[in-house]
Amino acid sequence: MNIEEFREVWEENKELRELAAKDKDRLNYHIMPTSGWVNDPNGLCQFNGVYHIYYQYSPFDVNGKLKLWGHITTEDFVKYQEHEPVLYPDYRYDQNGVYSGSAVVRNGKINYFYTGNVKHLDGDYDYIMTGREQNLIACSSEDGFNFGEKELIMTNTDFPSNLSLHVRDPKVYPKNGVDYMVLGARDDNSTGCVLVLKGKDLKDWEYHTIIYSDEKFGYMWECPDLFDLNGETVLVTCPQGVPEEGYIYKNVHQNGYFLMSGDLAAKDVKLSKFRLFDYGFDFYAPQTFEDESGRRILIGWMGIPDADYTNRTTENGWQHALTMPRELILKNGIIYQRPIEEIKSLRGNNRTFTADEFKDLEVENLSFELCAEFEKCNEFKLNLRNDISLSFDKSKGLIELNMGESGCGRDVRYTYCDEVRNIDVYSDISAFEIFINDGEIVFTTRAYTDGIQKIGFEKLDGAAKVYMYDMKKIVFGIDEF
Ligand code: FRU
């Protein structure tokens, strides 16, 4: 599909956009597709004050078949504008999808690297070792809107021969004058790993090394990200095929990070134990960037590939969303995630409750933030909808998110937790982002309810103070195109 074809179909799809706009599950303060499907955030950057959020977008198909790069900008994370998509599958090397990629602001322009997906349909292929191409493509823009020519940088035959054809999602890590590029990969033994290329001035890319974990951790690692944070080096990946371990790794695919020690230049690195970013049902493919004020900001896809439940929004012409932007801070080997400061400006109608008062509250506006500060808490059960609850039991060392019927196929998720000091629950109509202990533990999930909901403590052993705010809608404009 090229831009002319896109414009034609966009015109024809007015009804789908109108159907989506009317849906009662639409979100107030999260990015979601105007119609169709959204997945990974791509090319995140801030350029001359403007934040550019590109993303995997299938505007005409709720199940996300052919991917292009959608484009939204904001200067303050309150007012957003959707623009015409910037990258289309119109090139020999990306004809079956402009897959995920990233951006580097340098030399007065934005430099992009992404994966062009090509699927061969002329034979009997396994699409792992045969039948596909994942091409590394570069392009650039002087304004973030108008993109220059696509340039093929490498294709599968340029990658080490022990890798399968699954090699994708480039992200650049500049360090000591060298540009490293990480790509998620599956090797010919079906072990997940990260391919590292090396370049100079974002050019002359060549093979550097492959990074593995100590023990096999899944068959494929998607969407890697590599960055320095508070004196450590963090390697993010989305491993596929990791078996359940106690109460965790229950989703079909995982997302999280290793701390990386050693010397990348000398190809001598070691990965720590993996830690999940998020324990909910709907979080995957996060990407980070450093903004002009030096914050490390993460945006994730509020969804997961290959999940075995159906979002009811698909009946209304759209599916999935992106998380709020989260600022990352690393302390004692753990990444803490907090919604960026700007999100606070969406707060309105502040109310304060004692724990006793915070029971069976009838709530009609499901766009709210709920903060609770605990003292000596041994146990609680906090209802967030009629049948959705967050519970903590100190004696078991567990925190549990129970979705009831409103999970529409999502049931229970847990994680280990010895103490709860505070929680910050963002409810946005059909989405939750729940931050525990200043963002040490996070649960992100979609949830579907109808009508007035009762929220509040059903059980509490300990003391708590609760603050609630209504959350305003972000301002969201769409260019004519
Ligand atoms: C992750 C992912 C990436 C790929 C993109 C395609 O969700 O599968 O690996 O580039 O989505 O949309």
Side-chain angles (χ1 to χ4, degrees):
M1 172 182 279
N2 60 29
I3 188 161
E4 284 77 29
E5 285 158 351
F6 168 83
R7 285 180 179 159
E8 233 171 77
V9 191
W10 179 265
E11 226 9 76
E12 290 161 12
N13 268 267
K14 199 159 169 257
E15 274 173 31
L16 196 66
R17 292 194 290 282
E18 285 167 359
L19 178 71
K22 283 196 303 236
D23 187 13
K24 58 183 173 19
D25 289 321
R26 292 294 275 180
L27 306 170
N28 268 359
Y29 56 95
H30 284 87
I31 290 179
M32 53 191 162
T34 303
S35 66
W37 158 288
V38 70
N39 60 300
D40 315 355
N42 292 152
L44 301 179
C45 61
Q46 188 182 17
F47 184 60
N48 298 334
V50 178
Y51 291 95
H52 292 269
I53 302 169
Y54 306 94
Y55 47 92
Q56 290 287 286
Y57 194 19
S58 277
F60 315 124
D61 175 9
V62 286
N63 293 311
K65 294 229 169 63
L66 192 60
K67 305 290 169 59
L68 30 100
W69 273 31
H71 184 204
I72 288 176
T73 55
T74 181
E75 284 179 40
D76 54 10
F77 293 101
V78 172
K79 275 207 235 86
Y80 292 80
Q81 189 73 18
E82 177 173 346
H83 311 283
E84 195 164 47
V86 288
L87 289 172
Y88 301 84
D90 56 2
Y91 180 43
R92 146 75 184 89
Y93 297 104
D94 66 13
Q95 56 186 291
N96 300 108
V98 184
Y99 272 16
S100 282
S102 53
V104 186
V105 173
R106 196 178 298 170
N107 302 332
K109 56 183 183 168
I110 313 180
N111 305 274
Y112 305 87
F113 298 93
Y114 71 91
T115 298
N117 191 49
V118 176
K119 206 167 171 185
H120 297 177
L121 299 171
D122 59 346
D124 187 15
Y125 298 120
D126 68 356
Y127 296 110
I128 299 170
M129 299 306 293
T130 57
R132 71 185 313 150
E133 293 165 33
Q134 299 217 306
N135 300 307
L136 173 59
I137 299 169
C139 56
S140 68
S141 170
E142 283 174 11
D143 57 11
F145 296 86
N146 298 293
F147 279 46
E149 292 233 327
K150 297 173 176 178
E151 187 194 344
L152 178 71
I153 302 289
M154 280 192 185
T155 184
N156 294 94
T157 46
D158 301 313
F159 300 143
S161 58
N162 67 322
L163 295 182
S164 74
L165 299 176
H166 285 267
V167 181
R168 57 178 171 269
D169 312 332
K171 181 91 198 306
V172 175
Y173 170 62
K175 182 83 178 173
N176 301 334
V178 179
D179 290 320
Y180 297 98
M181 183 188 287
V182 287
L183 293 111
R186 169 180 186 147
D187 75 5
D188 57 4
N189 204 14
S190 284
T191 299
C193 54
V194 165
L195 167 66
V196 186
L197 306 178
K198 193 168 116 175
K200 183 118 189 71
D201 300 327
L202 302 177
K203 290 199 287 282
D204 304 327
W205 297 102
E206 56 179 54
Y207 170 68
H208 184 60
T209 187
I210 297 179
I211 302 176
Y212 284 96
S213 50
D214 279 355
E215 282 171 30
K216 176 176 169 136
F217 197 64
Y219 59 78
M220 167 73 194
W221 291 0
E222 292 191 312
C223 300
D225 196 346
L226 185 61
F227 53 88
D228 292 334
L229 186 64
N230 306 114
E232 303 268 4
T233 303
V234 180
L235 177 66
V236 175
T237 66
C238 292
Q240 304 192 321
V242 174
E244 283 186 33
E245 197 182 297
Y247 285 97
I248 58 171
Y249 306 147
K250 289 197 181 284
N251 285 345
V252 51
H253 302 312
Q254 314 306 321
N255 71 87
Y257 58 93
F258 303 98
L259 298 185
M260 194 175 94
S261 53
D263 183 354
L264 183 59
K267 308 176 186 182
D268 176 21
V269 296
K270 196 170 163 46
L271 302 184
S272 70
K273 195 171 159 37
F274 188 76
R275 189 179 162 94
L276 287 172
F277 260 124
D278 199 291
Y279 297 88
F281 293 92
D282 292 296
F283 184 88
Y284 197 73
Q287 186 174 96
T288 73
F289 70 107
E290 190 180 297
D291 80 350
E292 288 169 352
S293 70
R295 297 183 293 184
R296 176 62 54 179
I297 297 176
L298 171 149
I299 299 179
W301 171 26
M302 202 155 38
I304 222 162
D306 310 318
D308 59 356
Y309 43 77
T310 308
N311 289 294
R312 74 178 187 190
T313 61
T314 51
E315 289 157 30
N316 291 310
W318 69 288
Q319 178 160 220
H320 299 312
L322 302 184
T323 67
M324 288 183 283
R326 303 172 180 176
E327 185 174 355
L328 305 185
I329 307 280
L330 194 145
K331 272 188 292 188
N332 301 327
I334 294 174
I335 295 182
Y336 288 71
Q337 304 170 68
R338 298 286 298 142
I340 53 168
E341 196 61 23
E342 288 89 326
I343 301 292
K344 286 197 180 134
S345 61
L346 296 171
R347 287 173 170 175
N349 190 20
N350 177 8
R351 285 150 287 159
T352 309
F353 303 85
T354 62
D356 281 343
E357 287 165 343
F358 200 64
K359 275 189 192 123
D360 288 336
L361 219 69
E362 299 205 335
V363 177
E364 197 172 355
N365 176 11
L366 297 178
S367 178
F368 63 81
E369 181 189 350
L370 184 171
C371 313
E373 307 273 347
F374 295 92
E375 248 176 67
K376 298 199 183 77
C377 179
N378 292 317
E379 199 179 356
F380 69 75
K381 179 172 183 199
L382 174 64
N383 292 329
L384 298 171
R385 297 285 190 266
N386 291 345
D387 60 351
I388 299 180
S389 59
L390 183 74
S391 306
F392 168 64
D393 187 338
K394 196 179 171 77
S395 65
K396 295 194 186 125
L398 276 184
I399 193 144
E400 169 185 338
L401 176 68
N402 199 314
M403 304 287 289
E405 290 287 296
S406 308
C408 294
R410 300 152 182 87
D411 49 14
V412 195
R413 285 290 178 267
Y414 303 89
T415 192
Y416 303 100
C417 176
D418 296 330
E419 185 196 19
V420 175
R421 296 182 301 279
N422 54 61
I423 56 176
D424 198 353
V425 177
Y426 287 82
S427 162
D428 187 3
I429 320 286
S430 62
F432 281 107
E433 290 187 63
I434 301 173
F435 300 86
I436 296 158
N437 294 342
D438 304 310
E440 182 181 349
I441 294 171
V442 188
F443 287 88
T444 300
T445 194
R446 301 298 299 281
Y448 303 100
T449 50
D450 298 293
I452 292 177
Q453 300 292 310
K454 276 197 183 156
I455 68 168
F457 285 115
E458 190 177 312
K459 200 189 288 170
L460 175 65
D461 175 359
K465 219 172 167 188
V466 179
Y467 308 86
M468 256 188 99
Y469 308 87
D470 289 340
M471 286 292 281
K472 292 178 208 146
K473 221 177 166 137
I474 52 177
V475 181
F476 195 87
I478 305 175
D479 286 355
E480 287 282 325
F481 49 82

